[in-house]
Amino acid sequence: MSALRIGVCGNGTVGGGTIELLRSQAVLLGARAGRELLLTRVGARRDREDCPTGDVPVHRDLLEVARADDVDVVVESIGGTTLAKDIVETALRCGKSVVTANKALIAEHGNELLALAEECGGSLLCEAAVAGAVPILKALRDGMAANTVSELSGIINGTGNFILTEMGAHQRPFDEVLAEAQALGYAEADPTFDVEGTDAAHKLSILAAMAFSTPLNFSAVFCEGISAVTPADIQFADELGYRIKHLGIAKRHADGIELRVHPTLLPKGSLLANVDGVLNAVRLQGHAAGETVYSGAGAGRLPTASAVVADIVDIARAGGNSVHCLGVPVSNLESAPTLPMEAVTSAWYLRMQAEDRPGVMSQLANCLSAEGISIEALIQKPPKGAAATVPVVVLTNSAREEALRRAVTAISALPGITHPHCIRIESAN
Amino acid sequence: MSALRIGVCGNGTVGGGTIELLRSQAVLLGARAGRELLLTRVGARRDREDCPTGDVPVHRDLLEVARADDVDVVVESIGGTTLAKDIVETALRCGKSVVTANKALIAEHGNELLALAEECGGSLLCEAAVAGAVPILKALRDGMAANTVSELSGIINGTGNFILTEMGAHQRPFDEVLAEAQALGYAEADPTFDVEGTDAAHKLSILAAMAFSTPLNFSAVFCEGISAVTPADIQFADELGYRIKHLGIAKRHADGIELRVHPTLLPKGSLLANVDGVLNAVRLQGHAAGETVYSGAGAGRLPTASAVVADIVDIARAGGNSVHCLGVPVSNLESAPTLPMEAVTSAWYLRMQAEDRPGVMSQLANCLSAEGISIEALIQKPPKGAAATVPVVVLTNSAREEALRRAVTAISALPGITHPHCIRIESAN
């Protein structure tokens, strides 16, 4: 079969890694793909020493690569949602396939781009957009093809996981660890996307669309970051048998889909609880397969390029057939309502400061029981020196979020209690 | 596209589950496969109440299914390597594709069967043969397509993992837990295949062939079972920061390939160490992706059928193209020598009984240092009551197996030491 000709737009981390793999693994890739994978064009605004391109022409105008006659597959690895979108649309309209690692682009514009790909007869794949090297989209699309997936959850932002892991291991506050993560290059100068959960929400929307065969619905994801988690929370959770992870969670119910990103207490014995540092991991619950878990590097030059090139191999093997990114044609996707957070059910961790005098605890318990919420565990520490208040931690049983919020509002109004802070618990992860 | 017509040979656990999924998930499978997956024939020696087949013809002669004109894909789910082999060969010679969960058949006859499949233009896939519901073969073939895999390891026998987990959790001896596993249906009446490692060796040979693009080489796998592991070993390992798992390990070196199945100490923090009960898990080390880990149900009716049907979807999506089970055509596989165990390097756990008197420990240390092996950790328990000997546990640094064996022979000859027992350690799992 003739060679599959590849044009890579971008020569930074992802593009550079992709070019490196295409060049260094050419023989092995040819055998595995069933045809040569030939780099024919590179688009880059400037040359980079760490990204030699041999005698492959390098274009300063990236759209030239998207239009080039000798390119069958365009790799979009410049990031962002403006020029990147132009490149993807141009390439698809020229009848090419596209591979991207760009989660923002797919999460925010995926519905129209996937429809365009089908219309033009090409494939648009994005394995590298979620959990880096971990072939989680292929697991959903191929490995779980026989399954009705009822839920999934995952640690899908390595920066956040690194920060929580460090905070827990050394009892260090959030701000200090964030600064270290920035120094190490794990976190961006503007860390908002990572620590406030936007990046995880992008990825969760892709996972959920694939798992439930629904259109991408990024704007519906509830999103809570990790900046309010304290080393004390991690310590209390540990005493109670839990670790705190920043999870993306998607669950399908008869009346709608939960889509949420937030800090979460997980039982220590669960596999996700043991995924530390910059690693990513995703857990799928299929009606036939049961629970499967996938973990590995969520970012990095070659891990991400590994996923990009795997998508190129998929396209090569498919011959002229298109590969449907979400597992089914766009016309087979069915919208489903998003469940409002008020209706989401989970158990809760509540931490607050309480005055150390009779009656306070019973008032606290009354606020919970008035909403039908019972207490599963409670920690009250003895006062330190002359401190007027002591930390109190409560684990509740499972309750609807609206009930919990009403109870917390009532607790906040109690004279002896201040600073209530709440974290959701997932037991089946 | 026209329907893909499926004949299932066998209506037991795997075949029955496959028939159930094909019937219950027909609409979803049609959308995901791009064409209808139609059950047209069943082969079964007797009908089973738990496996309704609707109006699909049931053949008592299973070879009729393998030859039927209205069958495109034959599912072989009867097990064994005699009639099963006949069915697979017949189906392939009739131009059909085959999906099987039969690890023994693939491990022992895979080279000839895969060659036959290529010759006849069909596919022969076996995702369900390794780690049940976990799509580990697809992860290697597709997700890791850009990677040179240097090593892999896995908990690939659920029975063995259940037994070790129970022994550790409740300090129960091997024989007692094995009897319970048999009563629960996790272990066969003849448990040899599971507890002596043959089943794991079958699976390891399939994983290694795929990871290293070598022919299947089951007979080269070194195999040591779990029956010699004691609750005391699990307890000592715990004190030293390890868990004991029955692992299959394959590593590629410049001078050959390690293929080994044996009990192994793993650091507690590693993901595989936390995979308990009947779960399976496999860890891959790719040059680009780095370490990725995959876990889930290793057996069971629907988990196994989930993998079988995923293979059918792969074949349906490939249209007329064949899917190469090992990722490349058989002609691209390259034999590599198997490294003899004497040349394998690992750290070791040694447990023995030692007389509680001066000189014994220094003699023990001398036997190790004479072979260039140093001691990383040591536990000596105080004597219990009037016991003449005490248990001593030594962790060594990394050493060639031949040196360790010579040292253990010398230790065994010491007057004050009896019952030396050795377990290998893997740190990077």
Side-chain angles (χ1 to χ4, degrees), chain A residues 218-247:
Chain A
F218 164 65
S219 62
V221 180
F222 169 83
C223 205
E224 191 179 291
I226 57 171
S227 53
V229 177
T230 66
D233 289 322
I234 297 175
Q235 180 64 39
F236 285 126
D238 182 70
E239 289 179 36
L240 292 159
Y242 293 86
R243 298 229 168 91
I244 300 181
K245 295 291 180 187
H246 198 208
L247 287 197

mmCIF file of all heavy atoms in Angstrom, chain A residues 218-247:
data_model
loop_
_atom_site.group_PDB
_atom_site.id
_atom_site.type_symbol
_atom_site.label_atom_id
_atom_site.label_comp_id
_atom_site.label_asym_id
_atom_site.label_seq_id
_atom_site.Cartn_x
_atom_site.Cartn_y
_atom_site.Cartn_z
ATOM 1 N N PHE A 218 -19.141 20.484 26.964
ATOM 2 C CA PHE A 218 -18.183 21.060 27.911
ATOM 3 C C PHE A 218 -18.816 22.071 28.846
ATOM 4 O O PHE A 218 -18.539 22.074 30.057
ATOM 5 C CB PHE A 218 -17.025 21.704 27.137
ATOM 6 C CG PHE A 218 -16.192 22.644 27.949
ATOM 7 C CD1 PHE A 218 -15.439 22.172 29.015
ATOM 8 C CD2 PHE A 218 -16.160 23.992 27.653
ATOM 9 C CE1 PHE A 218 -14.662 23.035 29.774
ATOM 10 C CE2 PHE A 218 -15.389 24.866 28.412
ATOM 11 C CZ PHE A 218 -14.647 24.386 29.473
ATOM 12 N N SER A 219 -19.707 22.910 28.307
ATOM 13 C CA SER A 219 -20.235 23.998 29.144
ATOM 14 C C SER A 219 -21.109 23.471 30.275
ATOM 15 O O SER A 219 -21.395 24.194 31.232
ATOM 16 C CB SER A 219 -21.032 24.981 28.277
ATOM 17 O OG SER A 219 -22.134 24.306 27.710
ATOM 18 N N ALA A 220 -21.502 22.210 30.207
ATOM 19 C CA ALA A 220 -22.363 21.648 31.257
ATOM 20 C C ALA A 220 -21.575 21.063 32.426
ATOM 21 O O ALA A 220 -22.155 20.654 33.428
ATOM 22 C CB ALA A 220 -23.265 20.571 30.659
ATOM 23 N N VAL A 221 -20.241 21.019 32.301
ATOM 24 C CA VAL A 221 -19.457 20.376 33.361
ATOM 25 C C VAL A 221 -19.378 21.283 34.587
ATOM 26 O O VAL A 221 -18.958 22.435 34.489
ATOM 27 C CB VAL A 221 -18.026 20.051 32.870
ATOM 28 C CG1 VAL A 221 -17.217 19.384 33.989
ATOM 29 C CG2 VAL A 221 -18.067 19.170 31.626
ATOM 30 N N PHE A 222 -19.780 20.764 35.739
ATOM 31 C CA PHE A 222 -19.598 21.481 37.005
ATOM 32 C C PHE A 222 -18.124 21.397 37.376
ATOM 33 O O PHE A 222 -17.513 20.338 37.295
ATOM 34 C CB PHE A 222 -20.443 20.848 38.106
ATOM 35 C CG PHE A 222 -20.111 21.351 39.487
ATOM 36 C CD1 PHE A 222 -20.658 22.529 39.957
ATOM 37 C CD2 PHE A 222 -19.227 20.653 40.304
ATOM 38 C CE1 PHE A 222 -20.346 23.000 41.232
ATOM 39 C CE2 PHE A 222 -18.906 21.124 41.576
ATOM 40 C CZ PHE A 222 -19.475 22.301 42.040
ATOM 41 N N CYS A 223 -17.560 22.520 37.825
ATOM 42 C CA CYS A 223 -16.122 22.572 37.971
ATOM 43 C C CYS A 223 -15.703 23.258 39.260
ATOM 44 O O CYS A 223 -16.038 24.415 39.486
ATOM 45 C CB CYS A 223 -15.576 23.342 36.764
ATOM 46 S SG CYS A 223 -13.921 22.929 36.385
ATOM 47 N N GLU A 224 -14.976 22.536 40.092
ATOM 48 C CA GLU A 224 -14.488 23.084 41.353
ATOM 49 C C GLU A 224 -13.005 22.728 41.449
ATOM 50 O O GLU A 224 -12.633 21.562 41.251
ATOM 51 C CB GLU A 224 -15.274 22.441 42.496
ATOM 52 C CG GLU A 224 -15.103 23.070 43.853
ATOM 53 C CD GLU A 224 -15.959 22.345 44.894
ATOM 54 O OE1 GLU A 224 -17.202 22.445 44.827
ATOM 55 O OE2 GLU A 224 -15.386 21.654 45.747
ATOM 56 N N GLY A 225 -12.153 23.708 41.729
ATOM 57 C CA GLY A 225 -10.707 23.483 41.742
ATOM 58 C C GLY A 225 -10.187 22.973 43.071
ATOM 59 O O GLY A 225 -10.958 22.630 43.968
ATOM 60 N N ILE A 226 -8.855 22.929 43.189
ATOM 61 C CA ILE A 226 -8.244 22.349 44.384
ATOM 62 C C ILE A 226 -7.668 23.408 45.319
ATOM 63 O O ILE A 226 -7.098 23.066 46.355
ATOM 64 C CB ILE A 226 -7.110 21.365 44.013
ATOM 65 C CG1 ILE A 226 -6.038 22.068 43.159
ATOM 66 C CG2 ILE A 226 -7.671 20.156 43.298
ATOM 67 C CD1 ILE A 226 -4.793 21.208 42.953
ATOM 68 N N SER A 227 -7.842 24.701 44.995
ATOM 69 C CA SER A 227 -7.140 25.707 45.783
ATOM 70 C C SER A 227 -7.663 25.833 47.204
ATOM 71 O O SER A 227 -6.978 26.359 48.078
ATOM 72 C CB SER A 227 -7.180 27.064 45.069
ATOM 73 O OG SER A 227 -8.502 27.401 44.745
ATOM 74 N N ALA A 228 -8.871 25.301 47.476
ATOM 75 C CA ALA A 228 -9.414 25.393 48.834
ATOM 76 C C ALA A 228 -9.037 24.192 49.704
ATOM 77 O O ALA A 228 -9.342 24.160 50.897
ATOM 78 C CB ALA A 228 -10.931 25.546 48.784
ATOM 79 N N VAL A 229 -8.384 23.181 49.101
ATOM 80 C CA VAL A 229 -7.976 22.010 49.894
ATOM 81 C C VAL A 229 -6.750 22.384 50.730
ATOM 82 O O VAL A 229 -5.822 23.030 50.237
ATOM 83 C CB VAL A 229 -7.631 20.822 48.974
ATOM 84 C CG1 VAL A 229 -7.130 19.635 49.791
ATOM 85 C CG2 VAL A 229 -8.848 20.423 48.142
ATOM 86 N N THR A 230 -6.762 21.986 51.998
ATOM 87 C CA THR A 230 -5.634 22.312 52.884
ATOM 88 C C THR A 230 -4.882 21.036 53.275
ATOM 89 O O THR A 230 -5.439 19.930 53.193
ATOM 90 C CB THR A 230 -6.135 22.976 54.180
ATOM 91 O OG1 THR A 230 -6.915 22.002 54.910
ATOM 92 C CG2 THR A 230 -6.997 24.192 53.883
ATOM 93 N N PRO A 231 -3.624 21.194 53.709
ATOM 94 C CA PRO A 231 -2.904 20.015 54.218
ATOM 95 C C PRO A 231 -3.676 19.351 55.359
ATOM 96 O O PRO A 231 -3.639 18.123 55.499
ATOM 97 C CB PRO A 231 -1.575 20.603 54.707
ATOM 98 C CG PRO A 231 -1.395 21.860 53.932
ATOM 99 C CD PRO A 231 -2.773 22.401 53.699
ATOM 100 N N ALA A 232 -4.398 20.139 56.142
ATOM 101 C CA ALA A 232 -5.189 19.560 57.248
ATOM 102 C C ALA A 232 -6.277 18.643 56.700
ATOM 103 O O ALA A 232 -6.535 17.571 57.255
ATOM 104 C CB ALA A 232 -5.798 20.672 58.100
ATOM 105 N N ASP A 233 -6.915 19.047 55.583
ATOM 106 C CA ASP A 233 -7.933 18.169 54.981
ATOM 107 C C ASP A 233 -7.320 16.827 54.589
ATOM 108 O O ASP A 233 -7.918 15.769 54.792
ATOM 109 C CB ASP A 233 -8.521 18.830 53.717
ATOM 110 C CG ASP A 233 -9.406 20.021 54.049
ATOM 111 O OD1 ASP A 233 -10.132 19.945 55.057
ATOM 112 O OD2 ASP A 233 -9.364 21.011 53.293
ATOM 113 N N ILE A 234 -6.138 16.895 53.986
ATOM 114 C CA ILE A 234 -5.487 15.660 53.544
ATOM 115 C C ILE A 234 -5.156 14.787 54.746
ATOM 116 O O ILE A 234 -5.320 13.562 54.722
ATOM 117 C CB ILE A 234 -4.230 16.009 52.716
ATOM 118 C CG1 ILE A 234 -4.654 16.788 51.455
ATOM 119 C CG2 ILE A 234 -3.467 14.748 52.340
ATOM 120 C CD1 ILE A 234 -3.498 17.292 50.606
ATOM 121 N N GLN A 235 -4.738 15.433 55.836
ATOM 122 C CA GLN A 235 -4.397 14.700 57.058
ATOM 123 C C GLN A 235 -5.644 14.064 57.685
ATOM 124 O O GLN A 235 -5.641 12.888 58.050
ATOM 125 C CB GLN A 235 -3.737 15.677 58.035
ATOM 126 C CG GLN A 235 -3.314 15.058 59.356
ATOM 127 C CD GLN A 235 -2.248 14.014 59.164
ATOM 128 O OE1 GLN A 235 -1.348 14.188 58.344
ATOM 129 N NE2 GLN A 235 -2.363 12.884 59.873
ATOM 130 N N PHE A 236 -6.725 14.831 57.794
ATOM 131 C CA PHE A 236 -7.969 14.276 58.348
ATOM 132 C C PHE A 236 -8.484 13.122 57.481
ATOM 133 O O PHE A 236 -8.917 12.088 57.982
ATOM 134 C CB PHE A 236 -9.055 15.358 58.443
ATOM 135 C CG PHE A 236 -8.859 16.338 59.568
ATOM 136 C CD1 PHE A 236 -8.840 17.701 59.334
ATOM 137 C CD2 PHE A 236 -8.712 15.887 60.879
ATOM 138 C CE1 PHE A 236 -8.661 18.607 60.379
ATOM 139 C CE2 PHE A 236 -8.536 16.784 61.929
ATOM 140 C CZ PHE A 236 -8.508 18.147 61.678
ATOM 141 N N ALA A 237 -8.449 13.326 56.171
ATOM 142 C CA ALA A 237 -8.908 12.272 55.264
ATOM 143 C C ALA A 237 -8.106 11.008 55.497
ATOM 144 O O ALA A 237 -8.651 9.887 55.553
ATOM 145 C CB ALA A 237 -8.792 12.733 53.810
ATOM 146 N N ASP A 238 -6.801 11.171 55.660
ATOM 147 C CA ASP A 238 -5.928 10.023 55.896
ATOM 148 C C ASP A 238 -6.349 9.279 57.166
ATOM 149 O O ASP A 238 -6.463 8.050 57.169
ATOM 150 C CB ASP A 238 -4.484 10.518 56.006
ATOM 151 C CG ASP A 238 -3.501 9.379 56.199
ATOM 152 O OD1 ASP A 238 -3.304 8.623 55.222
ATOM 153 O OD2 ASP A 238 -2.959 9.222 57.303
ATOM 154 N N GLU A 239 -6.615 10.033 58.224
ATOM 155 C CA GLU A 239 -7.040 9.386 59.481
ATOM 156 C C GLU A 239 -8.333 8.597 59.299
ATOM 157 O O GLU A 239 -8.563 7.600 59.978
ATOM 158 C CB GLU A 239 -7.254 10.445 60.572
ATOM 159 C CG GLU A 239 -5.970 11.071 61.091
ATOM 160 C CD GLU A 239 -6.262 12.131 62.159
ATOM 161 O OE1 GLU A 239 -7.213 11.951 62.949
ATOM 162 O OE2 GLU A 239 -5.535 13.157 62.180
ATOM 163 N N LEU A 240 -9.158 9.063 58.381
ATOM 164 C CA LEU A 240 -10.460 8.414 58.172
ATOM 165 C C LEU A 240 -10.402 7.332 57.093
ATOM 166 O O LEU A 240 -11.420 6.731 56.740
ATOM 167 C CB LEU A 240 -11.503 9.475 57.799
ATOM 168 C CG LEU A 240 -11.846 10.450 58.938
ATOM 169 C CD1 LEU A 240 -12.457 11.733 58.377
ATOM 170 C CD2 LEU A 240 -12.805 9.794 59.936
ATOM 171 N N GLY A 241 -9.201 7.094 56.531
ATOM 172 C CA GLY A 241 -9.061 6.016 55.548
ATOM 173 C C GLY A 241 -9.209 6.459 54.098
ATOM 174 O O GLY A 241 -9.491 5.639 53.222
ATOM 175 N N TYR A 242 -8.997 7.752 53.837
ATOM 176 C CA TYR A 242 -9.203 8.274 52.485
ATOM 177 C C TYR A 242 -7.986 9.058 51.985
ATOM 178 O O TYR A 242 -7.180 9.543 52.779
ATOM 179 C CB TYR A 242 -10.414 9.217 52.460
ATOM 180 C CG TYR A 242 -11.740 8.544 52.711
ATOM 181 C CD1 TYR A 242 -12.204 8.339 54.012
ATOM 182 C CD2 TYR A 242 -12.516 8.103 51.648
ATOM 183 C CE1 TYR A 242 -13.422 7.712 54.243
ATOM 184 C CE2 TYR A 242 -13.740 7.488 51.870
ATOM 185 C CZ TYR A 242 -14.185 7.293 53.177
ATOM 186 O OH TYR A 242 -15.400 6.678 53.393
ATOM 187 N N ARG A 243 -7.894 9.186 50.673
ATOM 188 C CA ARG A 243 -6.985 10.158 50.058
ATOM 189 C C ARG A 243 -7.838 11.165 49.289
ATOM 190 O O ARG A 243 -8.977 10.866 48.897
ATOM 191 C CB ARG A 243 -6.029 9.451 49.088
ATOM 192 C CG ARG A 243 -5.139 8.437 49.782
ATOM 193 C CD ARG A 243 -3.674 8.610 49.406
ATOM 194 N NE ARG A 243 -2.822 7.821 50.309
ATOM 195 C CZ ARG A 243 -2.448 6.559 50.060
ATOM 196 N NH1 ARG A 243 -2.789 5.974 48.926
ATOM 197 N NH2 ARG A 243 -1.698 5.905 50.916
ATOM 198 N N ILE A 244 -7.271 12.358 49.077
ATOM 199 C CA ILE A 244 -8.005 13.384 48.319
ATOM 200 C C ILE A 244 -7.405 13.499 46.922
ATOM 201 O O ILE A 244 -6.203 13.711 46.768
ATOM 202 C CB ILE A 244 -7.964 14.751 49.038
ATOM 203 C CG1 ILE A 244 -8.595 14.624 50.435
ATOM 204 C CG2 ILE A 244 -8.709 15.810 48.220
ATOM 205 C CD1 ILE A 244 -8.629 15.927 51.231
ATOM 206 N N LYS A 245 -8.225 13.333 45.907
ATOM 207 C CA LYS A 245 -7.802 13.454 44.513
ATOM 208 C C LYS A 245 -8.728 14.433 43.795
ATOM 209 O O LYS A 245 -9.904 14.550 44.165
ATOM 210 C CB LYS A 245 -7.876 12.080 43.820
ATOM 211 C CG LYS A 245 -6.903 11.041 44.383
ATOM 212 C CD LYS A 245 -5.479 11.420 44.047
ATOM 213 C CE LYS A 245 -4.469 10.423 44.593
ATOM 214 N NZ LYS A 245 -3.080 10.926 44.385
ATOM 215 N N HIS A 246 -8.195 15.091 42.775
ATOM 216 C CA HIS A 246 -9.039 15.946 41.942
ATOM 217 C C HIS A 246 -9.570 15.083 40.813
ATOM 218 O O HIS A 246 -8.819 14.673 39.929
ATOM 219 C CB HIS A 246 -8.202 17.116 41.398
ATOM 220 C CG HIS A 246 -9.036 18.263 40.912
ATOM 221 N ND1 HIS A 246 -8.624 19.120 39.932
ATOM 222 C CD2 HIS A 246 -10.267 18.699 41.287
ATOM 223 C CE1 HIS A 246 -9.554 20.038 39.714
ATOM 224 N NE2 HIS A 246 -10.559 19.804 40.520
ATOM 225 N N LEU A 247 -10.860 14.782 40.852
ATOM 226 C CA LEU A 247 -11.433 13.829 39.897
ATOM 227 C C LEU A 247 -12.358 14.511 38.902
ATOM 228 O O LEU A 247 -13.047 15.474 39.229
ATOM 229 C CB LEU A 247 -12.274 12.772 40.617
ATOM 230 C CG LEU A 247 -11.610 11.678 41.427
ATOM 231 C CD1 LEU A 247 -12.616 10.548 41.663
ATOM 232 C CD2 LEU A 247 -10.370 11.127 40.753
#
